[in-house]
Amino acid sequence: MLNNKRNAFTMIELVFVIVVLGILAAIAIPKFAATRDDAQMAKGRSDVAAIRAAIVSERQGRLMRGESTYITTLDHAATPSNNGDILFDNNGTATSTLLQYGIVSGDTNGHWRKTAANTYKFKILNADTQFDYNITGGRFTCTAGAGSCDALTN
């Protein structure tokens, strides 16, 4: 008697599995890319809120000491910043901490970089969104028409 025991998949079964995996990949990969963009946008919003809150907190501390001025710089990074520089860490002095841990600069999506003395850019969706710090009013504002201002500040 013949032994008809199967120990492997047929070619049709393998092709079917490959087609199903291809369809799933075609659906899943764009969803993952969109999720990454959403996460980077949320990071940018969080960073802006933290920077603004830190400026206000620093101002309140200065008022308690009898100083009426805002901080003159948000960090001690070079202008322009290099990849890996720490931004928003302090006011150039060890005693004036802005953000406890600062933000590492970079030139890829989801990163900040310093472009001038009080000008910063956040890259999102391969476009730069510019923020300026005004030392007389203590405002960290997005430049109108620059990239994703509304998405990062609202």
PDB file of all heavy atoms in Angstrom, residues 1-22:
ATOM      1  N   MET A   1       0.808  -1.165   0.000  1.00  0.00           N
ATOM      2  CA  MET A   1       0.000   0.000   0.000  1.00  0.00           C
ATOM      3  C   MET A   1       0.869   1.253   0.000  1.00  0.00           C
ATOM      4  O   MET A   1       1.875   1.297   0.669  1.00  0.00           O
ATOM      5  CB  MET A   1      -0.848  -0.019   1.258  1.00  0.00           C
ATOM      6  CG  MET A   1      -2.195   0.459   0.976  1.00  0.00           C
ATOM      7  SD  MET A   1      -3.126   0.363   2.465  1.00  0.00           S
ATOM      8  CE  MET A   1      -4.617   0.599   1.738  1.00  0.00           C
ATOM      9  N   LEU A   2       0.434   2.307  -0.723  1.00  0.00           N
ATOM     10  CA  LEU A   2       1.170   3.556  -0.791  1.00  0.00           C
ATOM     11  C   LEU A   2       0.921   4.409   0.449  1.00  0.00           C
ATOM     12  O   LEU A   2      -0.193   4.473   0.947  1.00  0.00           O
ATOM     13  CB  LEU A   2       0.743   4.366  -2.022  1.00  0.00           C
ATOM     14  CG  LEU A   2       1.217   3.853  -3.357  1.00  0.00           C
ATOM     15  CD1 LEU A   2       0.564   4.644  -4.460  1.00  0.00           C
ATOM     16  CD2 LEU A   2       2.723   3.975  -3.449  1.00  0.00           C
ATOM     17  N   ASN A   3       1.973   5.075   0.872  1.00  0.00           N
ATOM     18  CA  ASN A   3       1.861   5.972   2.019  1.00  0.00           C
ATOM     19  C   ASN A   3       1.682   7.393   1.480  1.00  0.00           C
ATOM     20  O   ASN A   3       2.585   7.973   0.927  1.00  0.00           O
ATOM     21  CB  ASN A   3       3.122   5.861   2.868  1.00  0.00           C
ATOM     22  CG  ASN A   3       2.982   6.634   4.168  1.00  0.00           C
ATOM     23  OD1 ASN A   3       1.971   7.285   4.396  1.00  0.00           O
ATOM     24  ND2 ASN A   3       3.995   6.535   4.998  1.00  0.00           N
ATOM     25  N   ASN A   4       0.510   7.977   1.595  1.00  0.00           N
ATOM     26  CA  ASN A   4       0.192   9.312   1.078  1.00  0.00           C
ATOM     27  C   ASN A   4       0.344  10.390   2.153  1.00  0.00           C
ATOM     28  O   ASN A   4      -0.385  11.349   2.184  1.00  0.00           O
ATOM     29  CB  ASN A   4      -1.239   9.356   0.537  1.00  0.00           C
ATOM     30  CG  ASN A   4      -1.350   8.613  -0.764  1.00  0.00           C
ATOM     31  OD1 ASN A   4      -0.364   8.493  -1.486  1.00  0.00           O
ATOM     32  ND2 ASN A   4      -2.538   8.102  -1.057  1.00  0.00           N
ATOM     33  N   LYS A   5       1.282  10.272   3.012  1.00  0.00           N
ATOM     34  CA  LYS A   5       1.507  11.226   4.090  1.00  0.00           C
ATOM     35  C   LYS A   5       2.197  12.482   3.536  1.00  0.00           C
ATOM     36  O   LYS A   5       3.211  12.386   2.876  1.00  0.00           O
ATOM     37  CB  LYS A   5       2.383  10.561   5.138  1.00  0.00           C
ATOM     38  CG  LYS A   5       2.440  11.296   6.424  1.00  0.00           C
ATOM     39  CD  LYS A   5       3.257  10.478   7.386  1.00  0.00           C
ATOM     40  CE  LYS A   5       3.090  11.008   8.767  1.00  0.00           C
ATOM     41  NZ  LYS A   5       3.930  10.294   9.689  1.00  0.00           N
ATOM     42  N   ARG A   6       1.619  13.684   3.811  1.00  0.00           N
ATOM     43  CA  ARG A   6       2.196  14.958   3.351  1.00  0.00           C
ATOM     44  C   ARG A   6       3.073  15.549   4.443  1.00  0.00           C
ATOM     45  O   ARG A   6       2.665  15.666   5.580  1.00  0.00           O
ATOM     46  CB  ARG A   6       1.090  15.946   3.024  1.00  0.00           C
ATOM     47  CG  ARG A   6       0.484  15.731   1.693  1.00  0.00           C
ATOM     48  CD  ARG A   6      -0.602  16.725   1.374  1.00  0.00           C
ATOM     49  NE  ARG A   6      -0.285  18.094   1.786  1.00  0.00           N
ATOM     50  CZ  ARG A   6      -1.133  19.096   1.704  1.00  0.00           C
ATOM     51  NH1 ARG A   6      -2.342  18.906   1.229  1.00  0.00           N
ATOM     52  NH2 ARG A   6      -0.809  20.291   2.085  1.00  0.00           N
ATOM     53  N   ASN A   7       4.286  15.985   4.059  1.00  0.00           N
ATOM     54  CA  ASN A   7       5.196  16.607   5.011  1.00  0.00           C
ATOM     55  C   ASN A   7       5.553  18.031   4.634  1.00  0.00           C
ATOM     56  O   ASN A   7       6.397  18.630   5.269  1.00  0.00           O
ATOM     57  CB  ASN A   7       6.490  15.781   5.116  1.00  0.00           C
ATOM     58  CG  ASN A   7       6.244  14.452   5.798  1.00  0.00           C
ATOM     59  OD1 ASN A   7       5.426  14.363   6.685  1.00  0.00           O
ATOM     60  ND2 ASN A   7       6.949  13.428   5.362  1.00  0.00           N
ATOM     61  N   ALA A   8       4.942  18.585   3.587  1.00  0.00           N
ATOM     62  CA  ALA A   8       5.291  19.927   3.136  1.00  0.00           C
ATOM     63  C   ALA A   8       4.056  20.627   2.601  1.00  0.00           C
ATOM     64  O   ALA A   8       3.023  20.016   2.371  1.00  0.00           O
ATOM     65  CB  ALA A   8       6.358  19.840   2.061  1.00  0.00           C
ATOM     66  N   PHE A   9       4.213  21.971   2.391  1.00  0.00           N
ATOM     67  CA  PHE A   9       3.132  22.756   1.812  1.00  0.00           C
ATOM     68  C   PHE A   9       3.175  22.618   0.296  1.00  0.00           C
ATOM     69  O   PHE A   9       4.241  22.482  -0.296  1.00  0.00           O
ATOM     70  CB  PHE A   9       3.288  24.232   2.186  1.00  0.00           C
ATOM     71  CG  PHE A   9       3.107  24.495   3.651  1.00  0.00           C
ATOM     72  CD1 PHE A   9       4.197  24.813   4.447  1.00  0.00           C
ATOM     73  CD2 PHE A   9       1.846  24.442   4.233  1.00  0.00           C
ATOM     74  CE1 PHE A   9       4.042  25.056   5.789  1.00  0.00           C
ATOM     75  CE2 PHE A   9       1.688  24.692   5.568  1.00  0.00           C
ATOM     76  CZ  PHE A   9       2.787  24.994   6.358  1.00  0.00           C
ATOM     77  N   THR A  10       2.003  22.749  -0.311  1.00  0.00           N
ATOM     78  CA  THR A  10       1.977  22.744  -1.773  1.00  0.00           C
ATOM     79  C   THR A  10       2.326  24.140  -2.275  1.00  0.00           C
ATOM     80  O   THR A  10       2.292  25.122  -1.528  1.00  0.00           O
ATOM     81  CB  THR A  10       0.576  22.356  -2.297  1.00  0.00           C
ATOM     82  OG1 THR A  10      -0.334  23.373  -1.913  1.00  0.00           O
ATOM     83  CG2 THR A  10       0.141  20.997  -1.771  1.00  0.00           C
ATOM     84  N   MET A  11       2.646  24.228  -3.546  1.00  0.00           N
ATOM     85  CA  MET A  11       3.005  25.508  -4.154  1.00  0.00           C
ATOM     86  C   MET A  11       1.831  26.483  -4.072  1.00  0.00           C
ATOM     87  O   MET A  11       2.027  27.672  -3.808  1.00  0.00           O
ATOM     88  CB  MET A  11       3.435  25.294  -5.601  1.00  0.00           C
ATOM     89  CG  MET A  11       3.929  26.554  -6.252  1.00  0.00           C
ATOM     90  SD  MET A  11       5.345  27.230  -5.418  1.00  0.00           S
ATOM     91  CE  MET A  11       6.632  26.466  -6.310  1.00  0.00           C
ATOM     92  N   ILE A  12       0.626  26.019  -4.259  1.00  0.00           N
ATOM     93  CA  ILE A  12      -0.569  26.871  -4.188  1.00  0.00           C
ATOM     94  C   ILE A  12      -0.716  27.447  -2.783  1.00  0.00           C
ATOM     95  O   ILE A  12      -1.029  28.631  -2.629  1.00  0.00           O
ATOM     96  CB  ILE A  12      -1.836  26.058  -4.573  1.00  0.00           C
ATOM     97  CG1 ILE A  12      -1.835  25.754  -6.035  1.00  0.00           C
ATOM     98  CG2 ILE A  12      -3.104  26.754  -4.145  1.00  0.00           C
ATOM     99  CD1 ILE A  12      -2.272  26.914  -6.901  1.00  0.00           C
ATOM    100  N   GLU A  13      -0.505  26.661  -1.766  1.00  0.00           N
ATOM    101  CA  GLU A  13      -0.609  27.157  -0.395  1.00  0.00           C
ATOM    102  C   GLU A  13       0.438  28.239  -0.118  1.00  0.00           C
ATOM    103  O   GLU A  13       0.134  29.266   0.500  1.00  0.00           O
ATOM    104  CB  GLU A  13      -0.432  25.997   0.597  1.00  0.00           C
ATOM    105  CG  GLU A  13      -1.601  25.022   0.600  1.00  0.00           C
ATOM    106  CD  GLU A  13      -1.322  23.765   1.405  1.00  0.00           C
ATOM    107  OE1 GLU A  13      -0.154  23.334   1.457  1.00  0.00           O
ATOM    108  OE2 GLU A  13      -2.284  23.246   1.993  1.00  0.00           O
ATOM    109  N   LEU A  14       1.659  28.035  -0.578  1.00  0.00           N
ATOM    110  CA  LEU A  14       2.710  29.025  -0.380  1.00  0.00           C
ATOM    111  C   LEU A  14       2.401  30.327  -1.107  1.00  0.00           C
ATOM    112  O   LEU A  14       2.599  31.416  -0.558  1.00  0.00           O
ATOM    113  CB  LEU A  14       4.061  28.469  -0.832  1.00  0.00           C
ATOM    114  CG  LEU A  14       4.639  27.358   0.051  1.00  0.00           C
ATOM    115  CD1 LEU A  14       5.906  26.804  -0.578  1.00  0.00           C
ATOM    116  CD2 LEU A  14       4.917  27.880   1.439  1.00  0.00           C
ATOM    117  N   VAL A  15       1.935  30.263  -2.344  1.00  0.00           N
ATOM    118  CA  VAL A  15       1.589  31.454  -3.111  1.00  0.00           C
ATOM    119  C   VAL A  15       0.457  32.206  -2.411  1.00  0.00           C
ATOM    120  O   VAL A  15       0.486  33.433  -2.303  1.00  0.00           O
ATOM    121  CB  VAL A  15       1.218  31.089  -4.560  1.00  0.00           C
ATOM    122  CG1 VAL A  15       0.564  32.264  -5.275  1.00  0.00           C
ATOM    123  CG2 VAL A  15       2.442  30.608  -5.311  1.00  0.00           C
ATOM    124  N   PHE A  16      -0.528  31.480  -1.919  1.00  0.00           N
ATOM    125  CA  PHE A  16      -1.641  32.106  -1.228  1.00  0.00           C
ATOM    126  C   PHE A  16      -1.162  32.860   0.021  1.00  0.00           C
ATOM    127  O   PHE A  16      -1.562  34.001   0.264  1.00  0.00           O
ATOM    128  CB  PHE A  16      -2.685  31.040  -0.843  1.00  0.00           C
ATOM    129  CG  PHE A  16      -3.881  31.605  -0.141  1.00  0.00           C
ATOM    130  CD1 PHE A  16      -4.820  32.351  -0.831  1.00  0.00           C
ATOM    131  CD2 PHE A  16      -4.053  31.409   1.224  1.00  0.00           C
ATOM    132  CE1 PHE A  16      -5.916  32.895  -0.176  1.00  0.00           C
ATOM    133  CE2 PHE A  16      -5.144  31.943   1.885  1.00  0.00           C
ATOM    134  CZ  PHE A  16      -6.074  32.677   1.181  1.00  0.00           C
ATOM    135  N   VAL A  17      -0.309  32.253   0.799  1.00  0.00           N
ATOM    136  CA  VAL A  17       0.218  32.899   2.011  1.00  0.00           C
ATOM    137  C   VAL A  17       1.021  34.147   1.646  1.00  0.00           C
ATOM    138  O   VAL A  17       0.894  35.194   2.288  1.00  0.00           O
ATOM    139  CB  VAL A  17       1.071  31.904   2.824  1.00  0.00           C
ATOM    140  CG1 VAL A  17       1.851  32.625   3.922  1.00  0.00           C
ATOM    141  CG2 VAL A  17       0.192  30.829   3.430  1.00  0.00           C
ATOM    142  N   ILE A  18       1.828  34.088   0.604  1.00  0.00           N
ATOM    143  CA  ILE A  18       2.629  35.231   0.172  1.00  0.00           C
ATOM    144  C   ILE A  18       1.731  36.374  -0.288  1.00  0.00           C
ATOM    145  O   ILE A  18       1.975  37.539   0.031  1.00  0.00           O
ATOM    146  CB  ILE A  18       3.640  34.817  -0.916  1.00  0.00           C
ATOM    147  CG1 ILE A  18       4.702  33.910  -0.296  1.00  0.00           C
ATOM    148  CG2 ILE A  18       4.268  36.022  -1.587  1.00  0.00           C
ATOM    149  CD1 ILE A  18       5.616  33.251  -1.287  1.00  0.00           C
ATOM    150  N   VAL A  19       0.672  36.060  -1.010  1.00  0.00           N
ATOM    151  CA  VAL A  19      -0.268  37.093  -1.465  1.00  0.00           C
ATOM    152  C   VAL A  19      -0.955  37.749  -0.268  1.00  0.00           C
ATOM    153  O   VAL A  19      -1.078  38.978  -0.201  1.00  0.00           O
ATOM    154  CB  VAL A  19      -1.304  36.496  -2.449  1.00  0.00           C
ATOM    155  CG1 VAL A  19      -2.459  37.447  -2.687  1.00  0.00           C
ATOM    156  CG2 VAL A  19      -0.631  36.126  -3.753  1.00  0.00           C
ATOM    157  N   VAL A  20      -1.397  36.973   0.686  1.00  0.00           N
ATOM    158  CA  VAL A  20      -2.056  37.515   1.868  1.00  0.00           C
ATOM    159  C   VAL A  20      -1.090  38.405   2.649  1.00  0.00           C
ATOM    160  O   VAL A  20      -1.449  39.515   3.081  1.00  0.00           O
ATOM    161  CB  VAL A  20      -2.620  36.383   2.761  1.00  0.00           C
ATOM    162  CG1 VAL A  20      -3.049  36.918   4.119  1.00  0.00           C
ATOM    163  CG2 VAL A  20      -3.784  35.696   2.070  1.00  0.00           C
ATOM    164  N   LEU A  21       0.153  37.964   2.838  1.00  0.00           N
ATOM    165  CA  LEU A  21       1.147  38.783   3.534  1.00  0.00           C
ATOM    166  C   LEU A  21       1.435  40.082   2.776  1.00  0.00           C
ATOM    167  O   LEU A  21       1.615  41.137   3.381  1.00  0.00           O
ATOM    168  CB  LEU A  21       2.436  37.992   3.750  1.00  0.00           C
ATOM    169  CG  LEU A  21       2.357  36.865   4.785  1.00  0.00           C
ATOM    170  CD1 LEU A  21       3.663  36.089   4.818  1.00  0.00           C
ATOM    171  CD2 LEU A  21       2.017  37.415   6.152  1.00  0.00           C
ATOM    172  N   GLY A  22       1.473  40.014   1.456  1.00  0.00           N
ATOM    173  CA  GLY A  22       1.687  41.208   0.648  1.00  0.00           C
ATOM    174  C   GLY A  22       0.564  42.218   0.811  1.00  0.00           C
ATOM    175  O   GLY A  22       0.808  43.428   0.923  1.00  0.00           O
TER     176      GLY A  22
END
